[in-house]
Amino acid sequence: QSALTQPASVSGSPGQSITISCTGTSSDVGGYNYVSWYQQHPGKAPKLMIYDVSKRPSGVSNRFSGSKSGNTASLTISGLQAEDEADYYCCSYAGSTVVFGGGTKLTVL
Amino acid sequence: EVQLVESGGGLVQPGGSLKLSCAASGFTFSGSAMHWVRQASGKGLEWVGRIRSKANSYATAYAASVKGRFTISRDDSKNTAYLQMNSLKTEDTAVYYCTSQEIWFGELKDYWGQGTLVTVSS
């Protein structure tokens, strides 16, 4: 039940695109199409941005997109905006349990 | 409006016990699984465990780090989920969130509480 692997930090300038990776195993990310991505601003509860690998809840900007290849899922944010600066966590179903990634701090330069 | 309100957090000594509550409103609590997720200060999110609905036999599952020490239960008549924490360790210090999801007109809705702080210290 190890945490999924994410880069500790990524950065980009306003208007650019960035991608955050999330690597697991065939027992979690690779085994199910149940990968979610959460955004968390300091002192706030996490907010769902992507679910089921690539689905976007209503109200979430279409600048956010998700994908998966093998044991690695990815979150892409296009047209970076200052308000996107936050921590991002991937999350995967893993059989009867759930596992989160270690989190990635996104800095908008 | 959907609300999840955690309560019961506080300071407890190592080896002690604490029971958290999560009062839900605004969605079909009885039909939804309830999860607990924790976050130590400055650290990432960690899934603690979940309890499924009555239709799914109230099945529970736990993270390896808490299995055998924590127990999740629910009272559908009170729209409340619980997290009983025993044999607490200093590393259990964290903000504890309850979360749930439901499918609403084909779309996933995701709900989180504001969290309650548990501090395990002598």
Side-chain angles (χ1 to χ4, degrees):
Chain A
Q1 214 176 39
S2 300
L4 307 175
T5 300
Q6 298 181 231
S9 63
V10 297
S11 63
S13 300
Q16 289 186 330
S17 295
I18 63 96
T19 297
I20 300 172
S21 62
C22 169
T23 301
T25 69
S26 58
S27 296
D28 38 62
V29 174
Y32 309 93
N33 287 324
Y34 295 131
V35 176
S36 302
W37 288 90
Y38 288 88
Q39 175 192 67
Q40 187 181 34
H41 287 108
K44 301 292 188 181
K47 175 187 176 183
L48 183 68
M49 307 302 285
I50 295 288
Y51 68 97
D52 292 356
V53 177
S54 60
K55 297 178 181 177
R56 204 170 39 247
S58 61
V60 172
S61 171
N62 59 10
R63 298 185 297 105
F64 291 82
S65 62
S67 63
K68 191 186 84 166
S69 177
N71 296 336
T72 299
S74 298
L75 172 70
T76 298
I77 309 173
S78 60
L80 269 179
Q81 298 180 0
E83 68 215 45
D84 299 333
E85 183 162 297
D87 294 325
Y88 291 84
Y89 296 91
C90 60
C91 175
S92 176
Y93 180 70
S96 60
T97 63
V98 172
V99 61
F100 280 96
T104 298
K105 181 175 181 59
L106 169 61
T107 300
V108 180
L109 301 171
Chain B
E1 179 193 9
V2 172
Q3 279 198 313
L4 291 174
V5 180
E6 302 95 339
S7 61
L11 175 64
V12 60
Q13 291 188 336
S17 297
L18 206 59
K19 187 173 185 177
L20 307 183
S21 299
C22 171
S25 61
F27 69 104
T28 309
F29 177 85
S30 61
S32 303
M34 296 299 298
H35 296 251
W36 288 91
V37 174
R38 68 185 181 182
Q39 186 171 36
S41 181
K43 303 297 184 181
L45 301 173
E46 180 185 13
W47 181 79
V48 173
R50 58 93 172 131
I51 184 166
R52 288 180 169 159
S53 64
K54 180 179 181 180
N56 291 288
S57 305
Y58 297 127
T60 57
Y62 301 92
S65 58
V66 306
K67 197 170 187 179
R69 300 188 299 122
F70 290 11
T71 302
I72 299 173
S73 60
R74 63 190 296 161
D75 185 339
D76 289 346
S77 68
K78 295 182 178 179
N79 280 7
T80 301
Y82 304 97
L83 177 64
Q84 175 68 48
M85 303 183 292
N86 298 331
S87 303
L88 281 162
K89 306 175 182 181
T90 55
E91 53 263 42
D92 294 319
T93 295
V95 173
Y96 284 73
Y97 295 99
C98 64
T99 91
S100 188
Q101 298 179 331
E102 67 174 352
I103 303 296
W104 186 249
F105 288 100
E107 179 186 324
L108 186 72
K109 296 292 187 182
D110 187 67
Y111 311 125
W112 290 67
Q114 83 289 349
T116 187
L117 176 62
V118 172
T119 303
V120 184
S121 175
S122 54

